[in-house]
Amino acid sequence: MDLQKIFDNNEKWIEDKTQNDPAYFENLNKGQKPEVLYIGCSDSRVTAEDLMGMKPGELFVHRNVANVVNAIDLNAQSVINYAVTHLEVNHVVVCGHYSCGGVKAAMEAKDLGILNPWLRNIRDVYRAHKDELNSIEDEQKRYDRLVELNVKEQAINVVKMAGVQKAMRKRGMKIHGWVFDIKTGKLIDLKFDFQKVLEEIMEIYKLED
């Protein structure tokens, strides 16, 4: 790939944006007030703004391998805290996708070196739901179901955070679990009830103000 093409594309992008709105970048520079924090996978085929039809400034994004939210991952924790506490987003979306390489790798009994600690987060999801997953005979359907369960568990990890609990209680911020189907292009709401999840985990995870 000729990297100069990226800079050429950038120039064309600037031209397109300012053709009908000469002040486009001046206005963009004034600040951001996104409504949604999107936590997704780093997969190059899954671009958050494109699949959601969002414009610059409308979506705050964090991406990593298999959309994991780990309590000791300071990157993810900082992004979530900043989005929830300072930007005051109204929605937090954890979005996985079918055909996820990270989830598939976690299903395989292989030593993957430096990836092992990261993939253990997903293997822990498998362990927690092994009876359900092992009952699914079709490997592809089992793989897809782990993608969905991983979304749910990572979203629950979001709910466990103090700032998130505060925002849910005091201003009604919502948590969502979605999946993107690469085969069809459809965005699917898994319809998990995270308000109910919050109530169920409060005995252990409630963090007072």
Side-chain angles (χ1 to χ4, degrees), residues 68-82:
V68 167
V69 178
N70 187 318
I72 59 173
D73 176 6
L74 294 183
N75 189 347
Q77 295 289 315
S78 297
V79 168
I80 296 168
N81 181 269
Y82 182 72

Side-chain angles (χ1 to χ4, degrees), residues 31-132:
Q32 61 174 327
K33 187 59 179 173
E35 288 283 319
V36 179
L37 165 61
Y38 172 96
I39 302 170
C41 182
S42 296
D43 194 302
S44 62
R45 301 166 295 174
V46 185
T47 54
E49 291 85 356
D50 283 348
L51 68 91
M52 295 173 68
M54 304 288 273
K55 299 176 182 178
E58 294 181 338
L59 193 66
F60 202 65
V61 178
H62 176 73
R63 296 172 67 184
N64 61 42
V65 174
N67 43 273
V68 167
V69 178
N70 187 318
I72 59 173
D73 176 6
L74 294 183
N75 189 347
Q77 295 289 315
S78 297
V79 168
I80 296 168
N81 181 269
Y82 182 72
V84 170
T85 304
H86 299 283
L87 295 178
E88 295 189 330
V89 297
N90 291 315
H91 303 273
V92 178
V93 173
V94 177
C95 185
H97 67 97
Y98 298 132
S99 302
C100 178
V103 172
K104 188 171 186 179
M107 291 178 68
E108 299 173 350
K110 293 182 180 179
D111 181 354
L112 297 171
I114 192 64
L115 280 173
N116 288 337
W118 191 260
L119 295 179
R120 193 176 72 182
N121 294 286
I122 307 165
R123 288 174 174 143
D124 286 344
V125 174
Y126 198 124
R127 175 180 54 78
H129 299 275
K130 68 176 183 177
D131 290 343
E132 175 186 350

